[in-house]
């Protein structure tokens, strides 16, 4: 939580309003003052309660010792933390270079998945669920399912890619050759290398 808070603060410091909220406000017009209460604050409050269920369950059903499932959850969570942290760091460095303006990040973790940070976030929640299940909170499986669904279909991948396809001409090729979520080796690697060699020449 602290890592993500500092990252979001750094990324948005001195910048304007998030384009998603701006779009909602423009669409709502004069009704935004009350619609925002439900669409932004109440909705996010409910989602926080739903998504945090494994953490609450793990504390409620806490047992005296750790189980094999607890120990299996540790590497799962660490993989998620690695992908989210390193993915965010690589993207920050890429955006900091003015020569990359309008370009698509294809190196590092971004070579294997178009959204390593979102994949990492979802993976961490599956790790949290494993800890909850080990304590008896197996019924909280809805939490990582909802989180993964939100990241894939609502506020994460789907929304971001719609914007990126409009702003970056090469993004469609990136979509065709790179896994959307779960890391995997890119397709048509020889074709990509040949294109880079032509551009470098």
């Amino acid at each position: 939580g602290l890592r993500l808070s500092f990252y979001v603060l750094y990324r948005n410091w001195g910048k304007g309003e998030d384009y998603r909220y701006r779009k909602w406000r423009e669409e709502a017009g004069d009704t935004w003052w009350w619609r925002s209460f439900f669409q932004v604050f109440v909705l996010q409050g409910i989602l926080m309660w739903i998504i945090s269920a494994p953490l609450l369950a793990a504390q409620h059903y806490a047992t005296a010792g750790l189980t094999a499932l607890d120990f299996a959850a540790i590497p799962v969570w660490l993989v998620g933390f690695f992908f989210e942290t390193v993915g965010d760091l690589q993207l920050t460095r890429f955006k900091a270079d003015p020569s990359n303006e309008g370009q698509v990040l294809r190196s590092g973790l971004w070579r294997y998945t178009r959204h390593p940070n979102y994949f990492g976030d979802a993976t961490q929640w599956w790790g949290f669920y494993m800890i909850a299940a080990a304590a008896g909170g197996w019924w909280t499986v809805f939490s990582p399912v909802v989180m993964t669904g939100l990241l894939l279909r609502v506020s994460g991948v789907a929304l971001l890619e719609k914007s990126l396809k409009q702003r970056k001409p090469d993004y469609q090729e990136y979509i065709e050759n790179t896994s959307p979520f779960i890391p995997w080796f890119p397709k048509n690697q020889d074709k990509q290398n040949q294109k880079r060699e032509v551009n470098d020449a």
Side-chain angles (χ1 to χ4, degrees):
L2 285 173
R3 186 212 70 82
L4 186 58
S5 296
F6 282 120
Y7 173 71
V8 172
L9 176 66
Y10 171 78
R11 188 181 66 182
N12 293 292
W13 188 266
K15 295 183 179 178
E17 182 183 28
D18 187 296
Y19 72 93
R20 291 166 291 189
Y21 293 135
R22 185 170 60 248
K23 183 173 181 285
W24 285 349
R25 192 178 66 253
E26 291 170 354
E27 291 173 349
D30 294 338
T31 63
W32 179 239
W33 70 271
W34 64 265
R35 286 181 61 179
S36 62
F37 175 71
F38 294 100
Q39 189 173 1
V40 178
F41 299 103
V42 172
L43 177 60
Q44 290 192 37
I46 293 172
L47 286 174
M48 285 172 60
W49 180 79
I50 293 172
I51 292 167
S52 66
L55 303 177
L56 300 173
Q59 294 175 64
H60 178 74
Y61 296 113
T63 56
L66 297 175
T67 68
L69 192 55
D70 285 307
F71 287 107
I74 294 171
V76 171
W77 187 88
L78 287 173
V79 166
F81 187 76
F82 172 80
F83 269 84
E84 186 179 30
T85 303
V86 175
D88 283 341
L89 180 61
Q90 290 174 345
L91 183 61
T92 299
R93 289 180 174 173
F94 182 80
K95 287 183 173 181
D97 186 347
S99 65
N100 291 325
E101 181 68 29
Q103 302 298 312
V104 178
L105 175 56
R106 300 169 185 261
S107 59
L109 298 179
W110 300 82
R111 179 175 181 263
Y112 304 100
T113 167
R114 302 200 298 268
H115 303 280
N117 44 2
Y118 290 151
F119 167 76
D121 195 3
T123 303
Q124 287 179 83
W125 283 100
W126 282 102
F128 288 140
Y129 169 69
M130 292 169 67
I131 294 171
W138 53 268
W139 52 272
T140 61
V141 67
F142 59 82
S143 167
V145 169
V146 168
M147 175 60 91
T148 305
L150 288 172
L151 290 170
L152 280 170
R153 303 295 181 190
V154 183
S155 63
V157 173
L159 190 62
L160 181 60
E161 293 209 330
K162 182 179 179 180
S163 171
L164 288 172
K165 282 190 285 188
Q166 295 172 351
R167 293 185 288 114
K168 299 188 177 187
D170 292 340
Y171 200 78
Q172 184 59 45
E173 182 193 345
Y174 183 56
I175 288 175
E176 294 168 1
N177 293 301
T178 310
S179 173
F181 197 66
I182 298 174
W184 193 248
F185 296 100
K187 303 173 187 175
N188 301 326
Q189 190 59 45
D190 292 337
K191 182 179 178 181
Q192 290 183 41
N193 291 335
Q194 289 174 2
K195 185 174 180 179
R196 288 196 193 96
E197 289 173 5
V198 170
N199 290 337
D200 292 341

